[in-house]
Amino acid sequence: MRLSWDQYFMAQSHLLANRSTCTRLSVGATIVRDRRIIAGGYNGSTSGGVHCIDEGCYMIEGHCARTIHAEMNALLQCAKFGVPTQGAEIYVTHFPCLPCTKALIQAGIKKIYYANDYHNHPYALELLEDAEVETVHVPYEPVMDAAFSEKQLAFIAELLKTLETQGTDRETMKKYYEEAQKLFANGV
């Protein structure tokens, strides 16, 4: 099955989120213009700085002061390399916070795609409407991951059945089934 453009770019954002160094939430963002990726970002510390995964979050008034948000990192990457963002779109794993929303509006982002709601601030929604920035909910569907997991599950089921028919003792089979159940609990 071929991914739609929205799923493709959202998958890129989820992949970027795997680089996050903040322990509170992993977020990824991909800026796109004319169906081409122009920048990506994830939430983490300043370059060369201390990371939350190493020393914990530096909390001030309920927020991690150490972390630069994924959207900001993607915008800053564009600024650093002189890539214009006017008229671009962004794909984010989570709905942008209020400060990121304001930055995206100022950067000229025309459309925000997001996979998960996350403290969608009423004022952010108001600002987006006033600026005529469209928001589109694109649930992330890990199509490739699901297909791979189905193949894994089928293989394990066949293997367990073979072991059982070959006379593996009941206690060992119980242990194998329990382990397989744990492995695939969050899978297919």
Side-chain angles (χ1 to χ4, degrees):
M1 179 171 132
R2 187 172 189 210
L3 292 174
S4 69
W5 284 111
D6 287 346
Q7 283 299 315
Y8 172 73
F9 295 128
M10 193 57 75
Q12 295 294 320
S13 294
H14 278 82
L15 186 60
L16 283 162
N18 288 313
R19 290 280 305 152
S20 172
T21 62
C22 187
T23 57
R24 297 181 71 223
L25 183 68
S26 295
V27 180
T30 305
I31 300 178
V32 174
R33 188 177 42 248
D34 300 323
R35 291 191 176 162
R36 300 291 178 262
I37 296 171
I38 61 173
Y42 54 88
N43 57 332
S45 303
T46 58
S47 296
V50 173
H51 296 286
C52 299
I53 56 174
D54 297 325
E55 295 193 17
C57 292
Y58 180 37
M59 300 298 291
I60 298 175
E61 297 176 5
H63 299 284
C64 180
R66 181 174 284 137
T67 300
I68 301 168
H69 291 188
E71 303 91 326
M72 291 300 293
N73 269 326
L75 288 173
L76 292 167
Q77 186 180 68
C78 287
K80 187 175 187 175
F81 295 106
V83 178
T85 54
Q86 184 66 40
E89 302 173 336
I90 191 167
Y91 288 78
V92 190
T93 58
H94 295 77
F95 194 88
C97 68
L98 180 57
C100 285
T101 296
K102 293 189 282 186
L104 293 170
I105 292 169
Q106 286 300 96
I109 299 294
K110 69 176 182 179
K111 193 181 267 191
I112 299 170
Y113 298 88
Y114 65 99
N116 300 295
D117 288 304
Y118 186 74
H119 305 300
N120 303 21
H121 197 284
Y123 187 53
L125 295 169
E126 183 183 325
L127 288 172
L128 290 166
E129 186 177 333
D130 290 348
E132 298 180 2
V133 174
E134 186 180 351
T135 59
V136 180
H137 181 237
V138 178
Y140 176 56
E141 299 167 14
V143 179
M144 301 305 202
D145 296 344
F148 186 61
S149 293
E150 287 174 22
K151 288 178 185 177
Q152 288 176 322
L153 183 59
F155 173 75
I156 297 295
E158 185 180 334
L159 185 62
L160 289 172
K161 191 173 189 174
T162 301
L163 286 171
E164 196 168 8
T165 57
Q166 290 181 350
T168 304
D169 69 272
R170 209 176 172 99
E171 194 60 36
T172 302
M173 286 308 302
K174 181 180 177 192
K175 186 178 89 176
Y176 288 156
Y177 275 108
E178 287 171 356
E179 277 303 311
Q181 186 104 28
K182 287 179 199 172
L183 285 172
F184 292 97
N186 296 323
V188 182

